């Protein structure tokens, strides 16, 4: 669990939010990076729906844009398996098939 959710999920977020490489030129060359305003919107949606989430999901969702540095493996697991699919569906560009790759990853994880 920790290998994928604490490492891979966190790096996926960093890649999509233009924080993966130390060199900004490399980060800016990634064509499927989401804008800061998109991540702020996603974070606000997570924050606003905190009260609606069942306790069976574990930790209530925190704003991923503000608190991603402090996310635990359980929060990354919830982000990838529960929240990323509906929140990223209209945000990731279809021409790169990133969203379909995300769905394939989730199918593999839930084998």
């Amino acid at each position: 669990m920790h290998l994928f959710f604490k490492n891979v999920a966190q790096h996926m977020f960093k890649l999509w939010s233009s924080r993966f490489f130390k060199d900004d030129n490399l980060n800016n060359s990634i064509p499927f990076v989401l804008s800061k305003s998109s991540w702020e919107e996603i974070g606000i949606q997570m924050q606003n729906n905190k009260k609606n989430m069942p306790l069976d999901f574990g930790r209530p969702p925190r704003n991923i844009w503000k608190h991603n540095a402090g996310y635990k493996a359980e929060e990354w697991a919830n982000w990838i398996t529960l929240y990323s699919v509906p929140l990223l569906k209209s945000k990731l560009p279809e021409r790169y098939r990133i969203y379909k790759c995300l769905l394939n990853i989730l199918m593999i994880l839930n084998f």
Side-chain angles (χ1 to χ4, degrees), residues 85 98-108:
V85 172
I98 302 299
Y99 186 75
K100 289 183 181 185
C101 291
L102 176 62
L103 293 176
N104 288 334
I105 289 169
L106 293 177
M107 286 192 319
I108 291 167

Side-chain angles (χ1 to χ4, degrees), residues 2-19:
H2 278 77
L3 172 66
F4 184 83
F5 293 121
K6 186 66 177 137
N7 295 315
V8 176
Q10 184 177 16
H11 289 310
M12 288 168 59
F13 169 77
K14 286 181 179 181
L15 185 66
W16 294 336
S17 63
S18 189
R19 297 177 176 182

Side-chain angles (χ1 to χ4, degrees), residues 2-104:
H2 278 77
L3 172 66
F4 184 83
F5 293 121
K6 186 66 177 137
N7 295 315
V8 176
Q10 184 177 16
H11 289 310
M12 288 168 59
F13 169 77
K14 286 181 179 181
L15 185 66
W16 294 336
S17 63
S18 189
R19 297 177 176 182
F20 189 75
F21 299 106
K22 291 181 181 179
D23 183 2
D24 284 338
N25 292 328
L26 292 173
N27 285 325
N28 293 335
S29 68
I30 300 170
F32 47 82
V33 168
L34 299 180
S35 68
K36 180 180 176 183
S37 61
S38 292
W39 281 112
E40 288 173 345
E41 181 183 328
I42 289 169
I44 289 169
Q45 287 176 336
M46 291 175 72
Q47 191 83 26
N48 291 342
N49 289 313
K50 185 183 281 193
K51 294 178 184 176
N52 299 331
M53 295 297 162
L55 294 175
D56 294 342
F57 285 1
R59 271 180 202 251
R62 294 190 291 167
N63 183 326
I64 193 165
W65 184 248
K66 289 183 180 178
H67 303 289
N68 65 75
Y71 265 32
K72 307 291 183 215
E74 179 185 3
E75 290 173 296
W76 284 116
N78 285 345
W79 161 251
I80 288 294
T81 59
L82 301 172
Y83 310 126
S84 66
V85 172
L87 293 172
L88 294 175
K89 183 173 172 107
S90 63
K91 306 250 187 270
L92 290 172
E94 286 186 37
R95 67 179 174 187
Y96 298 108
R97 299 183 181 182
I98 302 299
Y99 186 75
K100 289 183 181 185
C101 291
L102 176 62
L103 293 176
N104 288 334

